[in-house]
Amino acid sequence: MIAKKIKFTSFDDERGSLVAIEGIKNVPFEIKRIYYISKNKKNFRRGFHAHKNLKQVLICVNGSCMVHLDNGFETEEILLNNSAEGLYLENNIWREMYNFSDDAVLLVLASEYYDESDYIRKYDDFLKFINKEK
Ligand code: TYD
């Protein structure tokens, strides 16, 4: 398994649903940054990168999307369609997001501020990087 899912408590009642997430307590890092992906156009894949240090939790808070993961040894296709569930991605994982539903909103919790130098944007460089790390 390349990445684990984290189950959050969902407070559901007649008004709807509320999910609360706290750094360290519900996700395994202090949250320094959040961003979200929405208004997705069909047939576009996003991502195509890995991170040297950054850890993230991906939550599809509305709609659904697929996530392709690759750790250099195996790949996985994961469906995200539950707003009370997060996908925990450690560093050194190549990811691509695809098949976004029209209404999909993908929320990302990140352990660090945005840092372009933490990105590995070429798949060949990713394979070289993880082989060096071993
Ligand atoms: P990009 O890396 O292309 O997104 P994805 O990984 O989903 O393919 O990011 C799109 C733009 O947003 C790019 O110009 C960088 C910018 N950006 C930030 O400024 N801060 C952030 O935290 C992130 C994730 C992206």
Side-chain angles (χ1 to χ4, degrees):
M1 206 199 310
I2 299 176
K4 279 193 193 135
K5 280 187 175 175
I6 301 173
K7 192 91 189 89
F8 304 120
T9 303
S10 185
F11 297 93
D12 297 323
D13 60 30
E14 61 281 5
R15 298 170 296 171
S17 161
L18 187 154
V19 175
I21 299 165
E22 296 181 311
I24 306 286
K25 294 186 181 175
N26 308 111
V27 297
F29 50 79
E30 203 69 81
I31 299 161
K32 278 204 182 155
R33 173 168 57 107
I34 70 168
Y35 62 93
Y36 41 90
I37 294 167
S38 61
K39 302 174 194 165
N40 307 286
K41 300 284 180 295
K42 275 255 170 302
N43 304 323
F44 277 98
R45 286 171 90 97
R46 304 195 64 125
F48 297 97
H49 64 257
H51 288 284
K52 297 173 193 165
N53 291 302
L54 184 74
K55 296 169 179 63
Q56 296 185 311
V57 172
L58 276 53
I59 306 163
C60 197
V61 292
N62 198 60
S64 64
C65 71
M66 293 293 296
V67 184
H68 164 82
L69 299 179
D70 183 336
N71 63 5
F73 305 96
E74 48 175 343
T75 64
E76 247 175 61
E77 312 302 316
I78 297 170
L79 171 69
L80 294 182
N81 64 352
N82 181 346
S83 60
E85 186 177 270
L87 184 65
Y88 174 45
L89 300 187
E90 295 194 309
N91 54 334
N92 296 342
I93 299 173
W94 184 267
R95 84 285 312 273
E96 296 167 23
M97 288 77 77
Y98 63 102
N99 268 13
F100 289 92
S101 63
D102 287 339
D103 58 350
V105 180
L106 182 65
L107 176 72
V108 181
L109 314 176
S111 64
E112 304 297 336
Y113 298 122
Y114 180 70
D115 174 10
E116 186 57 38
S117 72
D118 188 67
Y119 279 74
I120 307 170
R121 291 200 182 267
K122 289 193 184 126
Y123 187 72
D124 282 355
D125 292 343
F126 166 65
L127 292 180
K128 279 184 213 146
F129 186 80
I130 55 170
N131 281 314
K132 249 193 300 181
E133 292 261 295
K134 270 193 298 175

